[in-house]
Amino acid sequence: MFFSHLPEALSPLFGRIDCTLTDITAPEVTLRILDGEGALLGTKHFVGQSEVSFDIAPYLRSALRCNPTPSTTSLVRSERMVSCSLEAVTEAETLISERLTFIPASVVATDRLLTTLPIERILDPRGVDHLTIRADAPFNIQVAGYIRGEEVITQRFSVSEAGLYDLTINAADFDRVDELALLFGGRMVADYVVRERSPRAVTLAWLSSAGSIEHYTFPRRVSLESEVERIEGYGTEGYETACIALQENLTLDTAPEPKEVIAALSELLFSPCVWQLTAEGYQPRRVVTKRLSYCDCGSLATLRVTVAANKMEERLWSC
């Protein structure tokens, strides 16, 4: 008995993840899916088969953790990398697979920097960006700050082993710079223009199809609407209000952007994880928009998105 097919390291988590167990001679075999700490995620039981193929993706998605936090400029191993091992158990033997690792993505990663947005970006002097890095070998990372083209400050990091990493770039750590550059082994892979944003601008973040946490700052708030839901009961004196649930819907417009950028931003509507970056940190948001609404401006376009808090605010009412 052996595993004749297992996914490659750092495979996409979204979609099917097929594995195959071959040369089964026992009448019954139980497959156990374990997380990286050895905790049981799920089991499958097969009877009277010499070879079985199975999809482990639904079990692994329950182990996904996706909670970005603001921080100083830093490099850490990503909590979004999901790992597991498989155990095939019969009365006579137990077979354990190698450790399998997965990226929360729907496409196969080929680049070190995982992103769906352009590498030329704008960052507020107090802004934060999270970048996701896939490493298959050790390499060095630099974040360099410039004033009028002259390098004035650099922070250096090293990736020592394969895996998924989160790099936080906090512009406040690079005082008075007007440009930031991200370099892998001395080669520039992303470039930031540092300039003030409007105080009315709103930054949203989301989990992209590449497995990255993307950020976009919407320069324009279109509207802020409140929806009120009354929970009422009918008593001896007529209708009485027991509770009021309040939800605020925030509608935002992008700046005019190239259509490939708008296509990347539209993933906001399909992402399982969306946040608004506020003074209190990353606040979960629910996308209320049910259809894409574009404004076509020739080679450029804008996108309108409406988001709301994950939970409605409830107010108990008593007289």
Side-chain angles (χ1 to χ4, degrees), residues 163-311:
L164 194 68
Y165 294 82
D166 287 332
L167 174 66
T168 300
I169 297 180
N170 190 326
D173 297 330
F174 301 85
D175 191 32
R176 296 191 300 276
V177 302
D178 53 38
E179 181 185 3
L180 288 168
L182 172 65
L183 301 97
F184 289 171
R187 181 178 64 88
M188 183 184 294
V189 294
D191 187 48
Y192 295 85
V193 174
V194 181
R195 70 180 185 212
E196 292 281 350
R197 297 278 198 179
S198 165
R200 290 180 51 79
V202 175
T203 298
L204 297 183
W206 65 98
L207 179 63
S208 78
S209 61
S212 55
I213 301 293
E214 301 291 3
H215 292 64
Y216 182 83
T217 299
F218 290 78
R220 180 167 176 254
R221 304 186 192 194
V222 178
S223 64
L224 179 63
E225 299 178 342
S226 296
E227 291 184 12
V228 177
E229 178 183 341
R230 292 177 178 269
I231 300 174
E232 299 177 322
Y234 191 80
T236 57
E237 298 183 6
Y239 284 102
E240 296 180 358
T241 299
C243 180
I244 296 176
L246 177 66
Q247 174 179 284
E248 290 189 338
N249 295 336
L250 177 62
T251 300
L252 306 167
D253 274 353
T254 68
E257 301 282 4
K259 292 182 179 179
E260 58 270 21
V261 175
I262 295 296
L265 292 174
S266 68
E267 289 192 3
L268 261 168
L269 276 67
F270 316 113
S271 175
C273 304
V274 177
W275 305 267
Q276 181 179 340
L277 185 55
T278 70
E280 290 74 38
Y282 286 84
Q283 304 300 316
R285 292 293 180 259
R286 181 170 60 91
V287 178
V288 179
T289 304
K290 295 183 178 179
R291 65 180 64 184
L292 292 173
S293 178
Y294 293 105
C295 178
D296 196 335
C297 310
S299 61
L300 303 177
T302 61
L303 176 68
R304 178 165 293 183
V305 175
T306 301
V307 296
N310 259 11
K311 296 181 180 179

Side-chain angles (χ1 to χ4, degrees), residues 77-93:
R77 288 189 72 93
S78 177
E79 295 182 350
R80 299 192 310 283
M81 186 175 71
V82 175
S83 61
C84 77
S85 60
L86 307 178
E87 285 186 359
V89 182
T90 68
E91 287 186 354
E93 65 175 314

Side-chain angles (χ1 to χ4, degrees), residues 30-44 58-60 62-63 65 83-89:
T30 298
L31 180 80
R32 304 175 72 235
I33 302 114
L34 308 176
D35 70 11
E37 303 299 323
L40 182 66
L41 295 174
T43 62
K44 297 178 79 71
Y59 303 94
L60 300 181
S62 65
R65 300 293 178 264
S83 61
C84 77
S85 60
L86 307 178
E87 285 186 359
V89 182

Side-chain angles (χ1 to χ4, degrees), residues 14 66 289 299 309 312:
F14 300 137
C66 198
T289 304
S299 61
M312 297 184 74

